[in-house]
Amino acid sequence: MADQWHKGLVTRIVQETHNTRRFWIQIPELEQFSFKAGQFVTLDLPIHEQKNKRWRSYSIASPPDGTNTIELVIVLLEGGAGTNYLFNHVKEGSELVLKGPLGHFVLPEQLDKDLFFICTGTGIAPFRAMAQYIKAHDLAHPPIHLIYGCRQQCDLLYAAEMWDLEKELTDFHYTPTLSRDDDKWSGRKGYVHLIYEELAQRQPAHFFLCGWKNMIDEAKHRILALGYDKHDIHQELYG
């Protein structure tokens, strides 16, 4: 099924921040779109004659819930043909062609080590799906640290939901950090790296990284320097 193309129907669009939108896509031909939290879908957009230049992949931001509808959260990239098409031409009721689920960026089978979810921007999407899946199924789990970097407070995605989840899900810790000055922000400032370095005290752990290449490259280097093994690091690259 993962290699099959399906017609998707855009059922809802919400402008989440000044440059991000949430898209709900239903796959009417399937009763249930089965996937694992953390996986992605690939869209075939009418933006180029060559297939590989039409394809754009996005992590599924919603947890598996037994339905045929998924949610994507997408940032408008300056000069990006794919996101410009999605933002300027796709409306509620539009059809999209997609395939999936794809990818191996999923929860480990045994939740027996601390989980560090480290992300920037829309890289929060797979971690939102994973955390909500753990909550929905009441899975026994180790401490989970969601460390989320954005420029400004207005850029934070799912912020209210994550604060609520911190209260509702035992041992789930949400730490957003802002890289731009914000006098109204009383939380962490700076980049994600100092935070996981503080929290990771050589306890057994999985590090899941999702975001731009520069963040992932630096994080891998720093995590290895903490004494962890490369097999403890899992990544999903954007861009």
Side-chain angles (χ1 to χ4, degrees):
M1 186 181 108
D3 290 329
Q4 286 184 323
W5 291 96
H6 302 284
K7 281 188 178 180
L9 179 67
V10 178
T11 58
R12 186 182 177 202
I13 300 174
V14 170
Q15 187 81 29
E16 191 69 7
T17 70
H18 75 284
N19 66 344
T20 58
R21 287 183 186 171
R22 298 165 68 181
F23 294 80
W24 282 262
I25 304 172
Q26 183 185 43
I27 301 93
E29 67 196 66
L30 301 176
E31 286 189 18
Q32 177 178 330
F33 186 77
S34 299
F35 65 97
K36 293 181 178 180
Q39 290 189 298
F40 65 89
V41 292
T42 295
L43 306 182
D44 186 354
L45 304 174
I47 55 176
H48 202 278
E49 291 181 1
Q50 290 180 235
K51 285 184 179 179
N52 62 337
K53 293 188 177 181
R54 296 200 307 258
W55 295 354
R56 297 293 186 275
S57 297
Y58 301 100
S59 293
I60 303 171
S62 49
D65 61 1
T67 73
N68 62 354
T69 297
I70 58 173
E71 179 188 334
L72 307 180
V73 60
I74 297 173
V75 61
L76 179 63
L77 299 177
E78 187 175 347
T83 58
N84 273 279
Y85 176 81
L86 288 166
F87 275 63
N88 295 322
H89 298 282
V90 172
K91 314 293 181 188
E92 293 179 356
S94 294
E95 284 191 349
L96 291 171
V97 177
L98 62 89
K99 71 174 177 178
L102 301 162
H104 304 285
F105 191 73
V106 297
L107 289 167
E109 289 190 14
Q110 300 295 324
L111 297 179
D112 54 0
K113 300 180 183 179
D114 284 21
L115 297 173
F116 285 86
F117 295 160
I118 303 164
C119 56
T120 51
T122 54
I124 193 174
F127 301 138
R128 185 229 187 186
M130 290 178 186
Q132 290 290 9
Y133 177 80
I134 288 171
K135 176 177 177 281
H137 293 269
D138 197 23
L139 298 181
H141 62 87
I144 302 170
H145 300 277
L146 173 56
I147 303 165
Y148 179 32
C150 279
R151 289 182 177 178
Q152 298 172 303
Q153 190 172 352
C154 61
D155 296 321
L156 292 172
L157 296 166
Y158 306 114
E161 181 181 314
M162 292 301 108
W163 289 123
D164 287 343
L165 196 57
E166 190 173 44
K167 299 172 188 172
E168 298 164 355
L169 184 60
T170 304
D171 244 342
F172 174 78
H173 309 279
Y174 171 56
T175 309
T177 182
L178 306 183
S179 60
R180 297 282 177 88
D181 285 337
D182 186 340
D183 294 335
K184 297 178 181 178
W185 176 251
S186 59
R188 295 293 299 254
K189 295 181 180 180
Y191 297 104
V192 294
H193 307 292
L194 292 179
I195 299 172
Y196 63 75
E197 286 177 332
E198 288 174 14
L199 295 170
Q201 301 297 324
R202 295 298 300 276
Q203 72 271 36
H206 290 285
F207 294 85
F208 285 80
L209 313 174
C210 189
W212 297 108
K213 184 178 186 300
N214 288 347
M215 183 278 283
I216 287 180
D217 288 347
E218 183 170 351
K220 288 195 294 187
H221 177 76
R222 288 179 179 237
I223 291 165
L224 293 174
L226 291 172
Y228 289 94
D229 188 85
K230 65 180 181 179
H231 296 106
D232 297 325
I233 302 172
H234 316 267
Q235 70 181 57
E236 192 77 292
L237 189 64
Y238 278 10

